[in-house]
Amino acid sequence: DAMVIQNPRYQVTQFGKPVTLSCSQTLNHNVMYWYQQKSSQAPKLLFHYYDKDFNNEADTPDNFQSRRPNTSFCFLDIRSPGLGDAAMYLCATSRLAGGSDTQYFGPGTRLTVL
Amino acid sequence: QKEVEQDPGPLSVPEGAIVSLNCTYSNSAFQYFMWYRQYSRKGPELLMYTYSSGNKEDGRFTAQVDKSSKYISLFIRDSQPSDSATYLCAMSILSGNTPLVFGKGTRLSVIA
């Protein structure tokens, strides 16, 4: 089945220790998104790639970076995680850019910061 | 005022009940309206997708959009315990490289 895969599902890191979350997709979609979702909150878009073009949301902290080495993979790097960065991180893909196209989500990576 | 408002619940109903979930929004430019279902510890999955105003039905699920009132609803008929999840509304404008705007989600429990 075509899908969006996120690894790891659970990640524990220490305050200030860099961490990388991984997303891969077999849908061959052009667009890949990273969202942060805290408990009982709406998913918050951090950034997205349309193909190789990177689009950062204005309020995404500099602590969050992303890489997309090819169509299938996208990474979220958190350079110096703080306690406030503990959350579920969701990767999503869509064929077209813009919110009108259906987004397909991965299962998420739950990040704990100690 | 937030762009999208959604009552977080939790909402608890008996099996077989009709469930009504709602969102209000402030941006009249929104044209695409979606409902996502998110099970515990899983990513959201698209449940219903509606363009502009009107109703859309899919099995036990009906989505309604009232653009004049800036109000959208999701109805679940004959609710089942497997419907227990968080339901997120989401919406976007017609064009451009603009993101999807989500509500906070309503947590629903259907009790057998």
Side-chain angles (χ1 to χ4, degrees):
Chain A
D1 284 343
M3 57 176 58
V4 181
I5 301 160
Q6 290 188 245
N7 286 303
R9 293 292 312 278
Y10 301 91
Q11 176 73 58
V12 180
T13 190
Q14 291 180 332
F15 184 95
K17 185 174 181 182
V19 67
T20 294
L21 309 182
S22 167
C23 177
S24 63
Q25 54 131 341
T26 61
L27 296 159
N28 203 33
H29 282 171
N30 293 314
V31 192
M32 295 187 78
Y33 307 81
W34 280 105
Y35 288 87
Q36 179 192 65
Q37 187 180 26
K38 296 188 176 180
S39 182
S40 302
Q41 301 268 332
K44 177 180 178 300
L45 183 64
L46 297 173
F47 25 58
H48 74 276
Y49 275 94
Y50 184 92
D51 198 11
K52 293 184 189 299
D53 293 333
F54 178 69
N55 297 268
N56 198 28
E57 293 301 302
D59 56 354
T60 298
D62 292 340
N63 199 23
F64 291 86
Q65 304 285 319
S66 185
R67 296 170 282 135
R68 189 178 185 186
N70 54 53
T71 302
S72 301
F73 284 87
C74 195
F75 300 98
L76 170 61
D77 301 308
I78 309 176
R79 291 192 297 191
S80 183
L83 298 178
D85 297 327
M88 173 79 91
Y89 289 88
L90 296 164
C91 174
T93 73
S94 66
R95 200 169 44 88
L96 303 172
S100 60
D101 200 39
T102 301
Q103 294 187 18
Y104 296 84
F105 284 83
T109 294
R110 183 167 296 281
L111 178 68
T112 301
V113 181
L114 300 176
Chain B
Q1 181 190 12
K2 293 191 187 300
E3 263 195 305
V4 178
E5 300 271 9
Q6 184 176 9
D7 186 339
L11 180 62
S12 186
V13 301
E15 182 175 359
I18 296 174
V19 176
S20 172
L21 305 169
N22 312 294
C23 289
T24 59
Y25 62 95
S26 58
N27 187 350
S28 57
F30 285 139
Q31 295 274 13
Y32 295 91
F33 303 92
M34 299 142 201
W35 286 94
Y36 280 83
R37 178 175 60 195
Q38 186 174 21
Y39 289 114
S40 182
R41 295 185 176 85
K42 297 283 179 67
E45 58 177 336
L46 183 67
L47 196 59
M48 299 285 283
Y49 182 114
T50 310
Y51 171 67
S52 195
S53 281
N55 293 1
K56 186 173 184 179
E57 189 172 320
D58 183 1
R60 296 185 295 110
F61 298 90
T62 300
Q64 281 187 356
V65 175
D66 182 349
K67 290 190 69 181
S68 61
S69 303
K70 297 193 182 73
Y71 188 87
I72 69 170
S73 300
L74 177 71
F75 297 96
I76 307 173
R77 289 184 300 281
D78 187 25
S79 56
Q80 303 294 310
S82 58
D83 296 327
S84 299
T86 297
Y87 290 81
L88 297 143
C89 64
M91 46 199 80
S92 74
I93 69 172
L94 182 59
S95 63
N97 194 17
T98 52
L100 205 52
V101 181
F102 283 90
K104 286 188 177 183
T106 300
R107 200 169 75 192
L108 171 67
S109 293
V110 181
I111 311 301

PDB file of all heavy atoms in Angstrom, chain A residues 1 6 18 37 51 58 70 85 97 99-100:
ATOM      1  N   ASP A   1       0.849  -1.194   0.000  1.00  0.00           N
ATOM      2  CA  ASP A   1       0.000   0.000   0.000  1.00  0.00           C
ATOM      3  C   ASP A   1       0.882   1.241   0.000  1.00  0.00           C
ATOM      4  O   ASP A   1       1.859   1.316   0.714  1.00  0.00           O
ATOM      5  CB  ASP A   1      -0.877   0.028   1.244  1.00  0.00           C
ATOM      6  CG  ASP A   1      -2.037  -0.948   1.142  1.00  0.00           C
ATOM      7  OD1 ASP A   1      -2.315  -1.373   0.013  1.00  0.00           O
ATOM      8  OD2 ASP A   1      -2.626  -1.269   2.172  1.00  0.00           O
ATOM      9  N   GLN A   6       6.782   7.223   9.087  1.00  0.00           N
ATOM     10  CA  GLN A   6       7.598   8.074   9.959  1.00  0.00           C
ATOM     11  C   GLN A   6       8.396   7.197  10.920  1.00  0.00           C
ATOM     12  O   GLN A   6       7.874   6.250  11.488  1.00  0.00           O
ATOM     13  CB  GLN A   6       6.727   9.051  10.739  1.00  0.00           C
ATOM     14  CG  GLN A   6       6.123  10.119   9.860  1.00  0.00           C
ATOM     15  CD  GLN A   6       5.430  11.199  10.677  1.00  0.00           C
ATOM     16  OE1 GLN A   6       4.220  11.375  10.613  1.00  0.00           O
ATOM     17  NE2 GLN A   6       6.210  11.941  11.445  1.00  0.00           N
ATOM     18  N   PRO A  18      20.684  17.526  19.786  1.00  0.00           N
ATOM     19  CA  PRO A  18      20.038  17.515  18.464  1.00  0.00           C
ATOM     20  C   PRO A  18      19.332  16.199  18.172  1.00  0.00           C
ATOM     21  O   PRO A  18      19.796  15.122  18.569  1.00  0.00           O
ATOM     22  CB  PRO A  18      21.191  17.725  17.490  1.00  0.00           C
ATOM     23  CG  PRO A  18      22.265  18.359  18.299  1.00  0.00           C
ATOM     24  CD  PRO A  18      22.120  17.825  19.691  1.00  0.00           C
ATOM     25  N   GLN A  37       2.158  18.941  16.611  1.00  0.00           N
ATOM     26  CA  GLN A  37       0.861  18.878  17.274  1.00  0.00           C
ATOM     27  C   GLN A  37       1.065  18.606  18.759  1.00  0.00           C
ATOM     28  O   GLN A  37       1.562  17.544  19.145  1.00  0.00           O
ATOM     29  CB  GLN A  37      -0.024  17.794  16.662  1.00  0.00           C
ATOM     30  CG  GLN A  37      -1.450  17.800  17.215  1.00  0.00           C
ATOM     31  CD  GLN A  37      -2.327  16.725  16.621  1.00  0.00           C
ATOM     32  OE1 GLN A  37      -1.868  15.681  16.175  1.00  0.00           O
ATOM     33  NE2 GLN A  37      -3.641  16.968  16.607  1.00  0.00           N
ATOM     34  N   ASP A  51       8.366  20.044  -4.110  1.00  0.00           N
ATOM     35  CA  ASP A  51       9.530  19.499  -4.799  1.00  0.00           C
ATOM     36  C   ASP A  51      10.777  19.892  -3.994  1.00  0.00           C
ATOM     37  O   ASP A  51      10.877  19.513  -2.831  1.00  0.00           O
ATOM     38  CB  ASP A  51       9.575  20.000  -6.233  1.00  0.00           C
ATOM     39  CG  ASP A  51      10.486  19.138  -7.108  1.00  0.00           C
ATOM     40  OD1 ASP A  51      10.886  18.061  -6.649  1.00  0.00           O
ATOM     41  OD2 ASP A  51      10.812  19.544  -8.234  1.00  0.00           O
ATOM     42  N   ALA A  58       6.236  31.652   8.897  1.00  0.00           N
ATOM     43  CA  ALA A  58       6.867  32.832   9.496  1.00  0.00           C
ATOM     44  C   ALA A  58       7.190  32.639  10.974  1.00  0.00           C
ATOM     45  O   ALA A  58       8.187  33.173  11.483  1.00  0.00           O
ATOM     46  CB  ALA A  58       5.959  34.047   9.314  1.00  0.00           C
ATOM     47  N   ASN A  70      15.537  13.865  -1.581  1.00  0.00           N
ATOM     48  CA  ASN A  70      14.913  13.354  -2.803  1.00  0.00           C
ATOM     49  C   ASN A  70      13.394  13.373  -2.625  1.00  0.00           C
ATOM     50  O   ASN A  70      12.908  13.770  -1.562  1.00  0.00           O
ATOM     51  CB  ASN A  70      15.414  11.945  -3.130  1.00  0.00           C
ATOM     52  CG  ASN A  70      15.254  10.985  -1.972  1.00  0.00           C
ATOM     53  OD1 ASN A  70      14.164  10.848  -1.413  1.00  0.00           O
ATOM     54  ND2 ASN A  70      16.341  10.320  -1.586  1.00  0.00           N
ATOM     55  N   ASP A  85       9.416  21.803  23.137  1.00  0.00           N
ATOM     56  CA  ASP A  85       9.361  21.146  21.822  1.00  0.00           C
ATOM     57  C   ASP A  85       8.814  19.726  21.903  1.00  0.00           C
ATOM     58  O   ASP A  85       8.656  19.057  20.878  1.00  0.00           O
ATOM     59  CB  ASP A  85      10.754  21.114  21.185  1.00  0.00           C
ATOM     60  CG  ASP A  85      11.286  22.513  20.907  1.00  0.00           C
ATOM     61  OD1 ASP A  85      10.468  23.416  20.601  1.00  0.00           O
ATOM     62  OD2 ASP A  85      12.515  22.713  21.012  1.00  0.00           O
ATOM     63  N   ALA A  97       0.456  21.721  -4.198  1.00  0.00           N
ATOM     64  CA  ALA A  97       0.617  22.655  -3.088  1.00  0.00           C
ATOM     65  C   ALA A  97      -0.696  23.375  -2.825  1.00  0.00           C
ATOM     66  O   ALA A  97      -1.603  23.352  -3.645  1.00  0.00           O
ATOM     67  CB  ALA A  97       1.711  23.666  -3.415  1.00  0.00           C
ATOM     68  N   GLY A  99      -3.696  24.355   0.363  1.00  0.00           N
ATOM     69  CA  GLY A  99      -4.486  23.560   1.289  1.00  0.00           C
ATOM     70  C   GLY A  99      -5.645  22.826   0.662  1.00  0.00           C
ATOM     71  O   GLY A  99      -6.251  21.975   1.311  1.00  0.00           O
ATOM     72  N   SER A 100      -5.979  23.113  -0.606  1.00  0.00           N
ATOM     73  CA  SER A 100      -7.165  22.489  -1.198  1.00  0.00           C
ATOM     74  C   SER A 100      -6.924  21.044  -1.605  1.00  0.00           C
ATOM     75  O   SER A 100      -7.874  20.288  -1.785  1.00  0.00           O
ATOM     76  CB  SER A 100      -7.620  23.292  -2.413  1.00  0.00           C
ATOM     77  OG  SER A 100      -6.589  23.333  -3.385  1.00  0.00           O
TER      78      SER A 100
END
